[in-house]
Amino acid sequence: MEHTAVGDLWDRVIGAQPDPPVWLVVAMAAVALGAVLPHGAWRFTRNAVTIAHEGGHGLVALLSGRRLEGIRLHSDTSGLTVSRGKPTGLGMILTAAAGYTAPSLIGLAGAALLAAGHITALLWGAVLLLVSVLIMVRNAYGVLTVVLTGGLFLLVSWLAEPEVQAAFAYAVTWFLLLGGVRPVFELQGKRRRGGAPDSDADQLARLTHTPPAVWLLLFHVVALASLVGGGQRLLGL
């Protein structure tokens, strides 16, 4: 009986679910846009983008052979990921470049899963990623933010009806695709006003001896290309 239950759960996770109606996909895009564009909403929802941003730094640091010491998430929606290793070289460059590109690339991967009908797999995959981030968080606000976010994903994936799961999964994916664009423009604006002197783009400029504008352009290209490509997949174009 237990073996059958585990098999049913596995089939549920990896199985494909029916595509939702187009109106729902468009409606969730509108909901995500409403979570990104208004300043009041963005001050709150940007926390989720920060989790993806710092998680991207942490994941690439580990994959490149660096030692990840911890992640901190702050109430002003900023964050910090500390890793140890060689201060120069490809591993450090990839780690620094992973932050601003992570939300958009995660959104693009989510769009690919949804286009294949894997709604449940996306939700459970998000829970696993959030648990991985939680293990490395080193401050109370960060723990609270990640636990609440992961708990929401877990509740939806376990208790919600399939229609609600689909709406939630599409809303989250749209949010990551759209939410990955705004921080790059915000960074560009801060640098234009003389702020953020130690931003990811400036760190990459020092590591590669190239202008920060080159890295800002890369961040823009990744974010906008992911939005276009992911949007096409979500809409079935």
Side-chain angles (χ1 to χ4, degrees), residues 36-37 42 46 49 100 104 177-193 195-196 201 215-225 227:
V36 171
L37 285 184
W42 180 241
R46 198 184 194 280
V49 175
Y100 278 97
S104 297
L177 292 171
L178 293 165
V181 175
R182 180 164 180 173
V184 185
F185 282 99
E186 290 178 339
L187 175 60
Q188 185 175 359
K190 287 180 182 178
R191 296 196 72 265
R192 188 183 298 116
R193 296 188 297 271
W215 293 100
L216 277 171
L217 178 61
L218 174 66
F219 296 161
H220 278 299
V221 169
V222 171
L224 293 173
L227 176 58

Side-chain angles (χ1 to χ4, degrees), residues 12 32 42 54 72 77 83 85 91-92 103 106 147 162 168 175 178 188 200 205 210 226 228 230:
R12 177 184 172 189
W42 180 241
E54 300 303 332
R72 301 181 70 86
T77 71
S83 63
M92 187 62 203
I106 294 172
V147 167
F168 182 76
F175 172 76
L178 293 165
Q188 185 175 359
D200 291 356
T210 56
S226 297
V228 172

Side-chain angles (χ1 to χ4, degrees), residues 25-42 45 170-182 227:
V25 178
V26 175
M28 291 305 99
V31 169
L33 199 61
V36 171
L37 285 184
H39 180 68
W42 180 241
T45 59
Y170 274 83
V172 168
T173 304
W174 276 118
F175 172 76
L176 287 172
L177 292 171
L178 293 165
V181 175
R182 180 164 180 173
L227 176 58

Side-chain angles (χ1 to χ4, degrees), residues 22-236:
V22 175
W23 69 263
L24 180 64
V25 178
V26 175
M28 291 305 99
V31 169
L33 199 61
V36 171
L37 285 184
H39 180 68
W42 180 241
R43 288 179 60 187
F44 174 74
T45 59
R46 198 184 194 280
N47 284 286
V49 175
T50 302
I51 293 173
H53 180 115
E54 300 303 332
H57 282 312
L59 175 61
V60 174
L62 290 174
L63 292 176
S64 61
R66 300 180 62 80
R67 187 173 72 254
L68 181 60
E69 295 205 338
I71 295 172
R72 301 181 70 86
L73 306 171
H74 304 130
S75 58
D76 62 355
T77 71
S78 66
L80 176 66
T81 299
V82 178
S83 63
R84 300 297 180 188
K86 187 178 178 182
T88 58
L90 182 60
M92 187 62 203
I93 292 171
L94 293 176
T95 299
Y100 278 97
T101 56
S104 297
L105 293 177
I106 294 172
L108 184 61
L113 281 173
L114 294 179
H118 295 300
I119 296 171
T120 304
L122 182 146
L123 296 175
W124 282 60
V127 171
L128 291 176
L129 287 175
L130 287 165
V131 169
S132 300
V133 173
L134 179 62
I135 293 171
M136 296 308 303
V137 172
R138 296 292 182 264
N139 67 320
Y141 181 82
V143 169
L144 177 64
T145 303
V146 177
V147 167
L148 289 177
T149 305
L152 178 60
F153 273 91
L154 188 61
L155 286 174
V156 171
S157 63
W158 192 257
L159 300 177
E161 296 295 325
E163 295 80 6
V164 176
Q165 291 186 6
F168 182 76
Y170 274 83
V172 168
T173 304
W174 276 118
F175 172 76
L176 287 172
L177 292 171
L178 293 165
V181 175
R182 180 164 180 173
V184 185
F185 282 99
E186 290 178 339
L187 175 60
Q188 185 175 359
K190 287 180 182 178
R191 296 196 72 265
R192 188 183 298 116
R193 296 188 297 271
D198 199 36
S199 70
D200 291 356
D202 292 280
Q203 293 180 41
L204 286 162
R206 291 191 291 270
L207 287 167
T208 60
H209 306 290
T210 56
V214 172
W215 293 100
L216 277 171
L217 178 61
L218 174 66
F219 296 161
H220 278 299
V221 169
V222 171
L224 293 173
S226 297
L227 176 58
V228 172
Q232 288 177 334
R233 285 180 177 270
L234 293 175
L235 294 169

